[in-house]
């Protein structure tokens, strides 16, 4: 595996973010017990929490039996699925991100507290997310948005619900892991990237199943589907310095090749989990603006340009 020199690829504000994250969430955290990982992750999330914009309120309530945090607002509702390797995260981890999406898009937001591994192996998380999507979608069109593992779940839900009564107006995936080939491309080029390594990816991939990840199952690895037609308009975003970078690129290309509407953006010099840097790193702020602008446009059927297919 090649060793990429990140000294000039990553700018000073991003290095400061990496160092601040490492101080809260050491790079070897994935080697600790699950309980320890969750405690460290929760502490890190609290340290980076930016609070709510003025006037934002949220209510916790069950939707389809799944605990959710709801930021009430006009539709279409945004269903946000959080990252965390299917192992960590919940209603608190991306709470402020969802609050800011609510304000900046003007749309209502629902964050689903799906079940985590290893206590709940696949398809538990997928089942929870699709149940919430169906329930929220019964009241009107929805949008999907998620980061990392949440991006995987968004895509899996989109594949499962196409050609159904649930109308998904679009999906925005931030540095998603979609089941690409871990033995080539960015998985090797960025195997030792800051914030997320290839070894981390393999750990989270396999712990979801209690065994090696199955192949060819779109509910696990949307990139391994054999049909990419009739999917909603998609914005797939890679962080350049991330072993998962090729997944977003390849996913958008497959949708486009199938006649769909998809756009891939590679965020230069950014690292996995950069959404927490949206207030301190200009590149991350610009990417977050890209995300909320895409959701706003998709809600109107105008992404990426003109009327969507």
């Amino acid at each position: 595996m090649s060793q990429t020199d990140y000294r000039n690829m990553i700018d000073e504000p991003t290095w400061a973010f990496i160092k601040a994250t490492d101080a809260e969430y050491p790079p070897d955290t994935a080697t600790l017990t699950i309980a320890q990982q969750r405690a460290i992750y929760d502490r890190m999330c609290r340290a980076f929490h930016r609070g709510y914009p003025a006037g934002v309120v949220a209510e916790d309530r069950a939707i389809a039996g799944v605990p959710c945090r709801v930021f009430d607002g006009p539709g279409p509702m945004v269903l946000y699925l959080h990252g965390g390797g299917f192992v960590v995260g919940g209603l608190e981890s991306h709470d402020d991100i969802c609050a800011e999406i609510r304000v900046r898009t003007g749309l209502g937001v629902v964050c689903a507290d799906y079940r985590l591994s290893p206590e709940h192996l696949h398809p538990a998380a997928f089942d929870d997310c699709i149940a919430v999507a169906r329930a929220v979608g019964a009241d009107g069109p929805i949008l999907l948005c998620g980061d990392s593992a949440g991006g995987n779940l968004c895509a899996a839900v989109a594949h499962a619900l196409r050609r159904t009564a649930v109308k998904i107006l679009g999906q925005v995936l931030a540095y998603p892991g979609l089941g690409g080939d871990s033995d080539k491309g960015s998985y090797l080029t960025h195997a030792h990237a800051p914030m997320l390594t290839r070894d981390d990816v393999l750990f989270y991939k396999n712990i979801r199943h209690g065994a090696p990840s199955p192949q060819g199952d779109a509910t696990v690895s949307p990139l391994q589907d054999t049909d990419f037609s009739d999917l909603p308009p998609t914005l797939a975003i890679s962080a350049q310095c991330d072993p998962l970078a090729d997944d977003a690129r390849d996913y958008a290309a497959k949708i486009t090749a199938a006649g769909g509407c998809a756009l891939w953006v590679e965020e230069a010099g950014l690292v996995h989990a950069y959404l927490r840097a949206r207030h301190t790193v200009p590149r991350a702020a610009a990417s977050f603006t890209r995300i909320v602008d895409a959701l706003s446009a998709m809600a109107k059927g105008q992404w990426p340009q003109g009327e969507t297919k």
Side-chain angles (χ1 to χ4, degrees):
M1 298 179 194
S2 61
Q3 289 277 1
T4 301
D5 187 349
Y6 294 107
R7 288 175 294 181
N8 294 322
M9 293 176 66
I10 297 174
D11 64 13
E12 285 304 315
T14 306
W15 278 121
F17 165 67
I18 293 167
K19 292 173 183 176
T21 301
D22 287 348
E24 298 287 345
Y25 194 85
D28 65 349
T29 296
T31 66
L32 304 178
T33 68
I34 298 301
Q36 289 171 324
Q37 289 184 47
R38 289 177 181 158
I40 292 170
Y41 187 81
D42 290 347
R43 183 188 68 201
M44 183 266 291
C45 291
R46 288 192 295 271
F48 279 92
H49 197 285
R50 305 296 297 199
Y52 284 8
V56 174
V57 294
E59 176 189 5
D60 291 351
R61 60 177 183 261
I63 298 177
V66 179
C68 292
R69 181 158 295 168
V70 181
F71 299 81
D72 279 322
M77 295 291 286
V78 178
L79 174 56
Y80 193 94
L81 302 178
H82 68 81
F86 308 101
V87 173
V88 298
L91 296 183
E92 305 301 330
S93 63
H94 293 63
D95 181 51
D96 52 337
I97 292 172
C98 291
E100 290 177 32
I101 291 173
R102 165 68 185 95
V103 167
R104 294 184 60 176
T105 64
L107 304 171
V109 180
V110 174
C111 181
D113 190 15
Y114 56 84
R115 287 171 289 174
L116 299 175
S117 300
E119 298 93 331
H120 305 284
L121 299 178
H122 180 78
F126 169 76
D127 287 346
D128 287 351
C129 294
I130 199 168
V132 175
R134 284 193 176 109
V136 177
D139 294 327
I142 63 173
L143 296 156
L144 300 174
C145 185
D147 67 293
S148 193
N152 171 290
L153 290 165
C154 284
V157 167
H159 283 239
L161 291 182
R162 61 184 158 177
R163 310 181 192 113
T164 71
V166 178
K167 177 66 173 176
I168 301 174
L169 297 179
Q171 59 175 343
V172 178
L173 316 177
Y175 39 87
L178 299 170
D181 188 340
S182 59
D183 291 321
K184 68 178 186 181
S186 61
Y187 285 90
L188 303 184
T189 305
H190 297 290
H192 303 286
M195 301 292 287
L196 185 74
T197 67
R198 179 177 179 271
D199 286 346
D200 293 335
V201 172
L202 295 179
F203 169 81
Y204 291 123
K205 177 181 178 181
N206 292 334
I207 200 172
R208 188 181 181 191
H209 308 279
S213 177
Q215 297 297 301
D217 183 346
T219 67
V220 173
S221 302
L223 259 177
Q224 296 176 19
D225 203 343
T226 57
D227 179 9
F228 289 82
S229 62
D230 297 323
L231 289 169
T234 299
L235 172 61
I237 302 175
S238 298
Q240 181 186 24
C241 307
D242 183 350
L244 300 176
D246 287 354
D247 281 19
R249 179 199 67 188
D250 295 346
Y251 185 66
K254 285 178 179 284
I255 294 175
T256 301
C261 180
L263 178 66
W264 169 61
V265 173
E266 181 181 66
E267 302 291 13
L270 284 180
V271 294
H272 198 80
Y274 67 75
L275 286 185
R276 287 195 179 84
R278 67 197 181 281
H279 287 277
T280 59
V281 175
R283 291 174 176 177
S287 185
F288 189 61
T289 294
R290 194 190 316 280
I291 288 168
V292 295
D293 286 352
L295 290 169
S296 297
M298 287 172 171
K300 301 172 185 175
Q302 298 174 344
W303 178 258
Q305 53 187 351
E307 292 298 314
T308 57
K309 293 183 180 180

